[in-house]
Amino acid sequence: MSIEIWIVYLLATAALSLTPGPNSLLILSHGATYGVRKSLFTSLGGAIGFALIIGICMAGLGALLATSTLAFNIVKWVGAGYLIYLGIVTWRAPPLSAQPEFRTGSANRYKLFIQGFMAAASNPKGIIFFAAFLPQFVDPNGSQILQFFVLAGTFVCFEFILEIILAVSASKLAPWLAKSKVGRWFNRITGASFIAVGSLLASAEK
């Protein structure tokens, strides 16, 4: 892969990462609720989930989802069900506290990691998108392993940095959210958004 192709890929990666999605919504929720440090585990889970998707697509399994209705529907319903589950859990969560020590003490780091991973890895539309997107930048005559590390590393690093920025922003706003009327509805708005995204995914066609 030439440096010119990599720069084009980096710009495409930036545009893709800046598009709102389940992981952006999740990290905003976790940043406001649990603080930045524990949200790192959410971002790490999402990074590994995205790396897995890229690996699957480069292995050719993304094409299976694009051609097999059964495989697509299985992954679709798993992803939709998980997002709806996250929405219900978030909706029912206690209101935000204005005190950081009360916001950071109740999170299980492994659970946050799994949520980040699942939000990234269980979206069949994401897999199909990468299956169509990545071949534009892969040199069939080059090392597939090396190109995987370059492509996955570039996207994962950019996405991870963006999610940290979102987590920091949400954490800074959390005290204001906790004191304002908006804060009282933060969990419900976020939970409803998860449910809406999950419902849209459930109704998606190939």
Side-chain angles (χ1 to χ4, degrees), residues 105-123:
S106 60
N108 181 294
R109 295 173 180 177
Y110 176 76
K111 184 177 180 181
L112 298 184
F113 174 88
I114 291 298
Q115 289 182 357
F117 175 84
M118 288 295 295
S122 63
N123 189 339

mmCIF file with all atom_site columns, all heavy atoms in Angstrom, residues 105-123:
data_model
loop_
_atom_site.group_PDB
_atom_site.id
_atom_site.type_symbol
_atom_site.label_atom_id
_atom_site.label_alt_id
_atom_site.label_comp_id
_atom_site.label_asym_id
_atom_site.label_entity_id
_atom_site.label_seq_id
_atom_site.pdbx_PDB_ins_code
_atom_site.Cartn_x
_atom_site.Cartn_y
_atom_site.Cartn_z
_atom_site.occupancy
_atom_site.B_iso_or_equiv
_atom_site.pdbx_formal_charge
_atom_site.auth_seq_id
_atom_site.auth_comp_id
_atom_site.auth_asym_id
_atom_site.auth_atom_id
_atom_site.pdbx_PDB_model_num
ATOM 1   N N   . GLY A 1 105 ? -17.916 4.726   40.659 1.00 0.00 ? 105 GLY A N   1
ATOM 2   C CA  . GLY A 1 105 ? -17.656 3.596   41.542 1.00 0.00 ? 105 GLY A CA  1
ATOM 3   C C   . GLY A 1 105 ? -18.424 2.333   41.245 1.00 0.00 ? 105 GLY A C   1
ATOM 4   O O   . GLY A 1 105 ? -18.086 1.274   41.755 1.00 0.00 ? 105 GLY A O   1
ATOM 5   N N   . SER A 1 106 ? -19.480 2.385   40.427 1.00 0.00 ? 106 SER A N   1
ATOM 6   C CA  . SER A 1 106 ? -20.361 1.231   40.297 1.00 0.00 ? 106 SER A CA  1
ATOM 7   C C   . SER A 1 106 ? -20.210 0.478   38.984 1.00 0.00 ? 106 SER A C   1
ATOM 8   O O   . SER A 1 106 ? -20.964 -0.426  38.700 1.00 0.00 ? 106 SER A O   1
ATOM 9   C CB  . SER A 1 106 ? -21.820 1.695   40.426 1.00 0.00 ? 106 SER A CB  1
ATOM 10  O OG  . SER A 1 106 ? -22.124 2.646   39.406 1.00 0.00 ? 106 SER A OG  1
ATOM 11  N N   . ALA A 1 107 ? -19.226 0.844   38.159 1.00 0.00 ? 107 ALA A N   1
ATOM 12  C CA  . ALA A 1 107 ? -19.098 0.226   36.838 1.00 0.00 ? 107 ALA A CA  1
ATOM 13  C C   . ALA A 1 107 ? -18.167 -0.974  36.892 1.00 0.00 ? 107 ALA A C   1
ATOM 14  O O   . ALA A 1 107 ? -17.087 -0.920  37.468 1.00 0.00 ? 107 ALA A O   1
ATOM 15  C CB  . ALA A 1 107 ? -18.572 1.252   35.840 1.00 0.00 ? 107 ALA A CB  1
ATOM 16  N N   . ASN A 1 108 ? -18.583 -2.062  36.266 1.00 0.00 ? 108 ASN A N   1
ATOM 17  C CA  . ASN A 1 108 ? -17.745 -3.240  36.114 1.00 0.00 ? 108 ASN A CA  1
ATOM 18  C C   . ASN A 1 108 ? -16.961 -3.080  34.812 1.00 0.00 ? 108 ASN A C   1
ATOM 19  O O   . ASN A 1 108 ? -17.549 -2.977  33.732 1.00 0.00 ? 108 ASN A O   1
ATOM 20  C CB  . ASN A 1 108 ? -18.622 -4.493  36.071 1.00 0.00 ? 108 ASN A CB  1
ATOM 21  C CG  . ASN A 1 108 ? -17.809 -5.758  35.932 1.00 0.00 ? 108 ASN A CG  1
ATOM 22  O OD1 . ASN A 1 108 ? -17.171 -5.988  34.923 1.00 0.00 ? 108 ASN A OD1 1
ATOM 23  N ND2 . ASN A 1 108 ? -17.849 -6.582  36.967 1.00 0.00 ? 108 ASN A ND2 1
ATOM 24  N N   . ARG A 1 109 ? -15.644 -3.047  34.906 1.00 0.00 ? 109 ARG A N   1
ATOM 25  C CA  . ARG A 1 109 ? -14.820 -2.766  33.729 1.00 0.00 ? 109 ARG A CA  1
ATOM 26  C C   . ARG A 1 109 ? -14.995 -3.827  32.646 1.00 0.00 ? 109 ARG A C   1
ATOM 27  O O   . ARG A 1 109 ? -15.022 -3.503  31.457 1.00 0.00 ? 109 ARG A O   1
ATOM 28  C CB  . ARG A 1 109 ? -13.353 -2.662  34.140 1.00 0.00 ? 109 ARG A CB  1
ATOM 29  C CG  . ARG A 1 109 ? -13.087 -1.479  35.063 1.00 0.00 ? 109 ARG A CG  1
ATOM 30  C CD  . ARG A 1 109 ? -11.677 -1.496  35.585 1.00 0.00 ? 109 ARG A CD  1
ATOM 31  N NE  . ARG A 1 109 ? -11.440 -0.349  36.467 1.00 0.00 ? 109 ARG A NE  1
ATOM 32  C CZ  . ARG A 1 109 ? -10.314 -0.132  37.116 1.00 0.00 ? 109 ARG A CZ  1
ATOM 33  N NH1 . ARG A 1 109 ? -9.296  -0.984  36.983 1.00 0.00 ? 109 ARG A NH1 1
ATOM 34  N NH2 . ARG A 1 109 ? -10.181 0.934   37.887 1.00 0.00 ? 109 ARG A NH2 1
ATOM 35  N N   . TYR A 1 110 ? -15.097 -5.072  33.042 1.00 0.00 ? 110 TYR A N   1
ATOM 36  C CA  . TYR A 1 110 ? -15.299 -6.145  32.066 1.00 0.00 ? 110 TYR A CA  1
ATOM 37  C C   . TYR A 1 110 ? -16.625 -5.964  31.342 1.00 0.00 ? 110 TYR A C   1
ATOM 38  O O   . TYR A 1 110 ? -16.710 -6.153  30.117 1.00 0.00 ? 110 TYR A O   1
ATOM 39  C CB  . TYR A 1 110 ? -15.261 -7.495  32.787 1.00 0.00 ? 110 TYR A CB  1
ATOM 40  C CG  . TYR A 1 110 ? -15.555 -8.666  31.879 1.00 0.00 ? 110 TYR A CG  1
ATOM 41  C CD1 . TYR A 1 110 ? -14.600 -9.133  30.979 1.00 0.00 ? 110 TYR A CD1 1
ATOM 42  C CD2 . TYR A 1 110 ? -16.798 -9.312  31.922 1.00 0.00 ? 110 TYR A CD2 1
ATOM 43  C CE1 . TYR A 1 110 ? -14.865 -10.211 30.152 1.00 0.00 ? 110 TYR A CE1 1
ATOM 44  C CE2 . TYR A 1 110 ? -17.071 -10.382 31.096 1.00 0.00 ? 110 TYR A CE2 1
ATOM 45  C CZ  . TYR A 1 110 ? -16.095 -10.829 30.211 1.00 0.00 ? 110 TYR A CZ  1
ATOM 46  O OH  . TYR A 1 110 ? -16.367 -11.892 29.388 1.00 0.00 ? 110 TYR A OH  1
ATOM 47  N N   . LYS A 1 111 ? -17.644 -5.579  32.085 1.00 0.00 ? 111 LYS A N   1
ATOM 48  C CA  . LYS A 1 111 ? -18.968 -5.361  31.487 1.00 0.00 ? 111 LYS A CA  1
ATOM 49  C C   . LYS A 1 111 ? -18.930 -4.212  30.485 1.00 0.00 ? 111 LYS A C   1
ATOM 50  O O   . LYS A 1 111 ? -19.526 -4.295  29.398 1.00 0.00 ? 111 LYS A O   1
ATOM 51  C CB  . LYS A 1 111 ? -19.993 -5.068  32.582 1.00 0.00 ? 111 LYS A CB  1
ATOM 52  C CG  . LYS A 1 111 ? -21.418 -4.916  32.080 1.00 0.00 ? 111 LYS A CG  1
ATOM 53  C CD  . LYS A 1 111 ? -22.377 -4.713  33.244 1.00 0.00 ? 111 LYS A CD  1
ATOM 54  C CE  . LYS A 1 111 ? -23.812 -4.561  32.753 1.00 0.00 ? 111 LYS A CE  1
ATOM 55  N NZ  . LYS A 1 111 ? -24.745 -4.348  33.897 1.00 0.00 ? 111 LYS A NZ  1
ATOM 56  N N   . LEU A 1 112 ? -18.226 -3.133  30.827 1.00 0.00 ? 112 LEU A N   1
ATOM 57  C CA  . LEU A 1 112 ? -18.103 -2.005  29.909 1.00 0.00 ? 112 LEU A CA  1
ATOM 58  C C   . LEU A 1 112 ? -17.352 -2.421  28.650 1.00 0.00 ? 112 LEU A C   1
ATOM 59  O O   . LEU A 1 112 ? -17.704 -2.015  27.535 1.00 0.00 ? 112 LEU A O   1
ATOM 60  C CB  . LEU A 1 112 ? -17.378 -0.836  30.582 1.00 0.00 ? 112 LEU A CB  1
ATOM 61  C CG  . LEU A 1 112 ? -18.045 -0.227  31.820 1.00 0.00 ? 112 LEU A CG  1
ATOM 62  C CD1 . LEU A 1 112 ? -17.260 0.982   32.302 1.00 0.00 ? 112 LEU A CD1 1
ATOM 63  C CD2 . LEU A 1 112 ? -19.492 0.147   31.546 1.00 0.00 ? 112 LEU A CD2 1
ATOM 64  N N   . PHE A 1 113 ? -16.318 -3.233  28.821 1.00 0.00 ? 113 PHE A N   1
ATOM 65  C CA  . PHE A 1 113 ? -15.550 -3.733  27.679 1.00 0.00 ? 113 PHE A CA  1
ATOM 66  C C   . PHE A 1 113 ? -16.445 -4.552  26.746 1.00 0.00 ? 113 PHE A C   1
ATOM 67  O O   . PHE A 1 113 ? -16.425 -4.368  25.528 1.00 0.00 ? 113 PHE A O   1
ATOM 68  C CB  . PHE A 1 113 ? -14.389 -4.585  28.180 1.00 0.00 ? 113 PHE A CB  1
ATOM 69  C CG  . PHE A 1 113 ? -13.613 -5.273  27.084 1.00 0.00 ? 113 PHE A CG  1
ATOM 70  C CD1 . PHE A 1 113 ? -12.549 -4.627  26.477 1.00 0.00 ? 113 PHE A CD1 1
ATOM 71  C CD2 . PHE A 1 113 ? -13.958 -6.544  26.659 1.00 0.00 ? 113 PHE A CD2 1
ATOM 72  C CE1 . PHE A 1 113 ? -11.838 -5.251  25.455 1.00 0.00 ? 113 PHE A CE1 1
ATOM 73  C CE2 . PHE A 1 113 ? -13.259 -7.173  25.641 1.00 0.00 ? 113 PHE A CE2 1
ATOM 74  C CZ  . PHE A 1 113 ? -12.192 -6.524  25.038 1.00 0.00 ? 113 PHE A CZ  1
ATOM 75  N N   . ILE A 1 114 ? -17.233 -5.456  27.320 1.00 0.00 ? 114 ILE A N   1
ATOM 76  C CA  . ILE A 1 114 ? -18.114 -6.311  26.522 1.00 0.00 ? 114 ILE A CA  1
ATOM 77  C C   . ILE A 1 114 ? -19.157 -5.474  25.783 1.00 0.00 ? 114 ILE A C   1
ATOM 78  O O   . ILE A 1 114 ? -19.474 -5.729  24.615 1.00 0.00 ? 114 ILE A O   1
ATOM 79  C CB  . ILE A 1 114 ? -18.798 -7.362  27.409 1.00 0.00 ? 114 ILE A CB  1
ATOM 80  C CG1 . ILE A 1 114 ? -17.757 -8.373  27.915 1.00 0.00 ? 114 ILE A CG1 1
ATOM 81  C CG2 . ILE A 1 114 ? -19.909 -8.082  26.654 1.00 0.00 ? 114 ILE A CG2 1
ATOM 82  C CD1 . ILE A 1 114 ? -17.070 -9.169  26.823 1.00 0.00 ? 114 ILE A CD1 1
ATOM 83  N N   . GLN A 1 115 ? -19.693 -4.462  26.452 1.00 0.00 ? 115 GLN A N   1
ATOM 84  C CA  . GLN A 1 115 ? -20.683 -3.608  25.797 1.00 0.00 ? 115 GLN A CA  1
ATOM 85  C C   . GLN A 1 115 ? -20.077 -2.882  24.603 1.00 0.00 ? 115 GLN A C   1
ATOM 86  O O   . GLN A 1 115 ? -20.705 -2.786  23.538 1.00 0.00 ? 115 GLN A O   1
ATOM 87  C CB  . GLN A 1 115 ? -21.264 -2.615  26.807 1.00 0.00 ? 115 GLN A CB  1
ATOM 88  C CG  . GLN A 1 115 ? -22.185 -3.255  27.835 1.00 0.00 ? 115 GLN A CG  1
ATOM 89  C CD  . GLN A 1 115 ? -22.773 -2.249  28.793 1.00 0.00 ? 115 GLN A CD  1
ATOM 90  O OE1 . GLN A 1 115 ? -22.454 -1.054  28.744 1.00 0.00 ? 115 GLN A OE1 1
ATOM 91  N NE2 . GLN A 1 115 ? -23.644 -2.708  29.677 1.00 0.00 ? 115 GLN A NE2 1
ATOM 92  N N   . GLY A 1 116 ? -18.869 -2.357  24.769 1.00 0.00 ? 116 GLY A N   1
ATOM 93  C CA  . GLY A 1 116 ? -18.194 -1.693  23.660 1.00 0.00 ? 116 GLY A CA  1
ATOM 94  C C   . GLY A 1 116 ? -17.905 -2.654  22.522 1.00 0.00 ? 116 GLY A C   1
ATOM 95  O O   . GLY A 1 116 ? -18.101 -2.326  21.347 1.00 0.00 ? 116 GLY A O   1
ATOM 96  N N   . PHE A 1 117 ? -17.456 -3.857  22.873 1.00 0.00 ? 117 PHE A N   1
ATOM 97  C CA  . PHE A 1 117 ? -17.147 -4.874  21.859 1.00 0.00 ? 117 PHE A CA  1
ATOM 98  C C   . PHE A 1 117 ? -18.397 -5.276  21.087 1.00 0.00 ? 117 PHE A C   1
ATOM 99  O O   . PHE A 1 117 ? -18.391 -5.332  19.846 1.00 0.00 ? 117 PHE A O   1
ATOM 100 C CB  . PHE A 1 117 ? -16.525 -6.099  22.532 1.00 0.00 ? 117 PHE A CB  1
ATOM 101 C CG  . PHE A 1 117 ? -16.293 -7.247  21.588 1.00 0.00 ? 117 PHE A CG  1
ATOM 102 C CD1 . PHE A 1 117 ? -15.143 -7.294  20.807 1.00 0.00 ? 117 PHE A CD1 1
ATOM 103 C CD2 . PHE A 1 117 ? -17.211 -8.275  21.479 1.00 0.00 ? 117 PHE A CD2 1
ATOM 104 C CE1 . PHE A 1 117 ? -14.919 -8.341  19.930 1.00 0.00 ? 117 PHE A CE1 1
ATOM 105 C CE2 . PHE A 1 117 ? -17.002 -9.329  20.605 1.00 0.00 ? 117 PHE A CE2 1
ATOM 106 C CZ  . PHE A 1 117 ? -15.856 -9.363  19.828 1.00 0.00 ? 117 PHE A CZ  1
ATOM 107 N N   . MET A 1 118 ? -19.475 -5.550  21.795 1.00 0.00 ? 118 MET A N   1
ATOM 108 C CA  . MET A 1 118 ? -20.704 -6.004  21.152 1.00 0.00 ? 118 MET A CA  1
ATOM 109 C C   . MET A 1 118 ? -21.312 -4.928  20.273 1.00 0.00 ? 118 MET A C   1
ATOM 110 O O   . MET A 1 118 ? -21.833 -5.212  19.193 1.00 0.00 ? 118 MET A O   1
ATOM 111 C CB  . MET A 1 118 ? -21.710 -6.468  22.200 1.00 0.00 ? 118 MET A CB  1
ATOM 112 C CG  . MET A 1 118 ? -21.356 -7.784  22.874 1.00 0.00 ? 118 MET A CG  1
ATOM 113 S SD  . MET A 1 118 ? -21.376 -9.171  21.721 1.00 0.00 ? 118 MET A SD  1
ATOM 114 C CE  . MET A 1 118 ? -23.120 -9.214  21.265 1.00 0.00 ? 118 MET A CE  1
ATOM 115 N N   . ALA A 1 119 ? -21.264 -3.683  20.731 1.00 0.00 ? 119 ALA A N   1
ATOM 116 C CA  . ALA A 1 119 ? -21.826 -2.590  19.933 1.00 0.00 ? 119 ALA A CA  1
ATOM 117 C C   . ALA A 1 119 ? -21.105 -2.462  18.599 1.00 0.00 ? 119 ALA A C   1
ATOM 118 O O   . ALA A 1 119 ? -21.716 -2.141  17.578 1.00 0.00 ? 119 ALA A O   1
ATOM 119 C CB  . ALA A 1 119 ? -21.748 -1.274  20.704 1.00 0.00 ? 119 ALA A CB  1
ATOM 120 N N   . ALA A 1 120 ? -19.794 -2.733  18.597 1.00 0.00 ? 120 ALA A N   1
ATOM 121 C CA  . ALA A 1 120 ? -19.016 -2.627  17.362 1.00 0.00 ? 120 ALA A CA  1
ATOM 122 C C   . ALA A 1 120 ? -19.143 -3.865  16.495 1.00 0.00 ? 120 ALA A C   1
ATOM 123 O O   . ALA A 1 120 ? -19.264 -3.773  15.270 1.00 0.00 ? 120 ALA A O   1
ATOM 124 C CB  . ALA A 1 120 ? -17.540 -2.378  17.692 1.00 0.00 ? 120 ALA A CB  1
ATOM 125 N N   . ALA A 1 121 ? -19.118 -5.042  17.117 1.00 0.00 ? 121 ALA A N   1
ATOM 126 C CA  . ALA A 1 121 ? -18.977 -6.289  16.363 1.00 0.00 ? 121 ALA A CA  1
ATOM 127 C C   . ALA A 1 121 ? -20.287 -6.916  15.905 1.00 0.00 ? 121 ALA A C   1
ATOM 128 O O   . ALA A 1 121 ? -20.270 -7.815  15.067 1.00 0.00 ? 121 ALA A O   1
ATOM 129 C CB  . ALA A 1 121 ? -18.205 -7.313  17.202 1.00 0.00 ? 121 ALA A CB  1
ATOM 130 N N   . SER A 1 122 ? -21.422 -6.448  16.420 1.00 0.00 ? 122 SER A N   1
ATOM 131 C CA  . SER A 1 122 ? -22.683 -7.140  16.135 1.00 0.00 ? 122 SER A CA  1
ATOM 132 C C   . SER A 1 122 ? -23.563 -6.421  15.120 1.00 0.00 ? 122 SER A C   1
ATOM 133 O O   . SER A 1 122 ? -24.748 -6.703  15.015 1.00 0.00 ? 122 SER A O   1
ATOM 134 C CB  . SER A 1 122 ? -23.476 -7.332  17.442 1.00 0.00 ? 122 SER A CB  1
ATOM 135 O OG  . SER A 1 122 ? -23.824 -6.076  18.003 1.00 0.00 ? 122 SER A OG  1
ATOM 136 N N   . ASN A 1 123 ? -22.969 -5.491  14.369 1.00 0.00 ? 123 ASN A N   1
ATOM 137 C CA  . ASN A 1 123 ? -23.732 -4.739  13.379 1.00 0.00 ? 123 ASN A CA  1
ATOM 138 C C   . ASN A 1 123 ? -23.447 -5.290  11.978 1.00 0.00 ? 123 ASN A C   1
ATOM 139 O O   . ASN A 1 123 ? -22.379 -5.042  11.422 1.00 0.00 ? 123 ASN A O   1
ATOM 140 C CB  . ASN A 1 123 ? -23.367 -3.253  13.435 1.00 0.00 ? 123 ASN A CB  1
ATOM 141 C CG  . ASN A 1 123 ? -24.284 -2.400  12.575 1.00 0.00 ? 123 ASN A CG  1
ATOM 142 O OD1 . ASN A 1 123 ? -24.932 -2.890  11.658 1.00 0.00 ? 123 ASN A OD1 1
ATOM 143 N ND2 . ASN A 1 123 ? -24.331 -1.122  12.871 1.00 0.00 ? 123 ASN A ND2 1
#
